[in-house]
Amino acid sequence: MQEMEILSTLPVSGPKAPQRPQSDERMLVFDACHIGVVLRALLFVQTVLAAGVMFLADGISDWVTRLALLNGGALPAMLGWLIITCLLKRPLHGLSVGMQRTFGAALGALAGTLACWLLSWVLTDTGPQPWIASGVSGGLMALALVTALQMRARGNTPAATTARLAELQARIRPHFLFNTLNSAVALVREEPAKAEAILEDLSDLFRHALAEQRATSTMADEIELARRYLDIEQIRFGERMRVQWQLDERANTASLPPLLLQPLVENAVKHGIEPSASGGKLRISTEQRSRRVILQITNTVPPSVDKRSQGTRGQGIALANVRDRLRLLHDVDCDFSAGMHNGLYRVRIALPANDSPL
């Protein structure tokens, strides 16, 4: 990380200084608001219940009947645990790991007791033993779930850092820097104002790429960064590059990993516009549909390029990096696809609207 500080701009002090990642003792583990966590938690509870019922069932039919009966109490209790942890995500984030586990286990014991109470409406034999067993089982399952979420948080932190460092390296590509400087030098005498504008855009672009420390960005910020990049490339390609923007302002608040859109646009320019003697078209569009935001980047491809292999040569690493970073931020609540569509190369991303995970 010290090398990144050497590359970055002058240090910022005061209230605007970038926040350093919190230590492992203050991790966000109660991220039950993510649909991926909800699905995995429900699958975990179902697996434990299914295995436990095997010890009591006399056969397949009896096993299915008992499992369905237990789900009548376990599912509402589990959903209640998930809803409460989701609502209390931010306050719980300030607790230590030990306190988070204690809270999760205590809430799980309460949920297990609630499940037993719900089942008592249909079961007649409810002595003290089922209540105690339900509370203990709920607490142990919740403790296992919280521990798994902590391991997930620890695993995501270095993965996110590695992905971000790889993305930063991809941003500072020598060919882009040299081409931009050559364009500026060529314009110094004839159009000094335009040359100055190119250098200013280049400075802003690199300052943003090197100094960005946030865990998430917004669609609006990513669009602005992509505009600066395309403004620079427009000077170099001139009429050969035709850019079309179709933006939905409602999508501007959607959360994205930092520096996600610019490499996708750069790939479109490098593999779609630059190799073609006649240039090409590039289209960036955003649209909000209900609670989903759709981002699409489409570009023409050179006629001499084998369209079946387009997207597999020179873009694989960048696309895999984008896919991994989206998965870290939105888990399964995000769709990513890239490939030929109606004669154009298209990258399509669908993600939650107005989502702001910590």
Side-chain angles (χ1 to χ4, degrees), residues 48-332:
V48 173
L49 290 178
V53 172
M54 289 181 181
F55 291 96
L56 304 175
D58 296 329
I60 297 296
S61 178
D62 186 40
W63 177 76
V64 173
T65 302
R66 289 175 179 270
L67 182 60
L69 180 63
L70 286 178
N71 278 328
L75 284 180
M78 184 63 195
L79 291 175
W81 188 90
L82 291 170
I83 292 173
I84 292 175
T85 53
C86 176
L87 294 176
L88 298 179
K89 177 175 65 173
R90 294 181 183 275
L92 291 171
H93 181 48
L95 299 179
S96 65
V97 171
M99 290 299 297
Q100 289 173 342
R101 291 180 180 177
T102 301
F103 177 85
L107 187 60
L110 181 61
T113 305
L114 173 63
C116 187
W117 178 77
L118 292 174
L119 291 174
S120 67
W121 288 82
V122 294
L123 298 177
T124 56
D125 184 14
T126 55
Q129 187 64 27
W131 292 85
I132 296 175
S134 297
V136 172
S137 299
L140 290 176
M141 284 191 289
L143 180 60
L145 180 59
V146 172
T147 302
L149 293 177
Q150 289 177 340
M151 295 175 64
R152 178 176 180 269
R154 288 194 182 98
N156 283 354
T157 299
T161 301
T162 301
R164 181 177 180 276
L165 289 177
E167 190 62 31
L168 287 176
Q169 293 173 357
R171 297 288 57 71
I172 314 173
R173 293 176 177 171
H175 81 275
F176 168 64
L177 175 60
F178 295 151
N179 289 336
T180 303
L181 292 177
N182 288 335
S183 299
V185 170
L187 293 171
V188 166
R189 293 185 178 180
E190 298 180 359
E191 300 182 71
K194 187 175 292 187
E196 182 180 358
I198 291 179
L199 295 177
E200 289 178 353
D201 286 339
L202 181 64
S203 175
D204 291 338
L205 184 67
F206 273 72
R207 184 182 298 111
H208 186 100
L210 294 173
E212 181 60 62
Q213 299 290 330
R214 293 177 296 172
T216 62
S217 181
T218 64
M219 183 71 74
D221 290 340
E222 294 300 298
I223 291 292
E224 178 62 25
L225 185 62
R227 282 187 185 275
R228 291 186 180 276
Y229 166 76
L230 289 176
D231 287 343
I232 295 173
E233 293 289 49
Q234 188 71 67
I235 299 299
R236 184 160 67 98
F237 291 105
E239 296 182 355
R240 288 180 56 204
M241 186 175 75
R242 298 174 293 280
V243 181
Q244 179 184 4
W245 297 89
Q246 187 174 346
L247 306 177
D248 185 349
E249 292 185 358
R250 298 175 300 170
N252 286 345
T253 57
S255 295
L256 289 172
L259 303 173
L260 187 91
L261 179 56
Q262 192 269 337
L264 295 176
V265 173
E266 186 173 350
N267 268 338
V269 173
K270 181 179 179 181
H271 299 282
I273 310 298
E274 188 172 3
S276 176
S278 59
K281 297 179 181 180
L282 171 63
R283 182 172 179 265
I284 302 99
S285 67
T286 60
E287 180 185 4
Q288 179 168 335
R289 302 176 185 173
S290 184
R291 296 293 300 168
R292 306 286 288 176
V293 167
I294 309 298
L295 167 65
Q296 295 189 98
I297 302 101
T298 57
N299 62 271
T300 55
V301 296
S304 58
V305 174
D306 182 2
K307 295 183 178 181
R308 291 174 299 178
S309 64
Q310 177 71 12
T312 62
R313 296 185 301 181
Q315 300 192 47
I317 296 178
L319 294 179
N321 183 277
V322 169
R323 183 183 292 107
D324 291 342
R325 299 178 70 207
L326 284 169
R327 187 180 297 115
L328 286 172
L329 181 60
H330 293 293
D331 204 356
V332 298

Side-chain angles (χ1 to χ4, degrees), residues 10-82:
L10 293 176
V12 180
S13 60
K16 294 185 178 181
Q19 298 289 332
R20 291 188 177 274
Q22 294 180 339
S23 64
D24 287 344
E25 290 301 319
R26 300 276 183 179
M27 291 184 305
L28 174 61
V29 296
F30 285 95
D31 53 354
C33 300
H34 282 286
I35 187 173
V37 174
V38 174
L39 293 176
R40 293 184 184 100
L42 292 176
L43 180 61
F44 168 68
V45 173
Q46 289 295 303
T47 302
V48 173
L49 290 178
V53 172
M54 289 181 181
F55 291 96
L56 304 175
D58 296 329
I60 297 296
S61 178
D62 186 40
W63 177 76
V64 173
T65 302
R66 289 175 179 270
L67 182 60
L69 180 63
L70 286 178
N71 278 328
L75 284 180
M78 184 63 195
L79 291 175
W81 188 90
L82 291 170

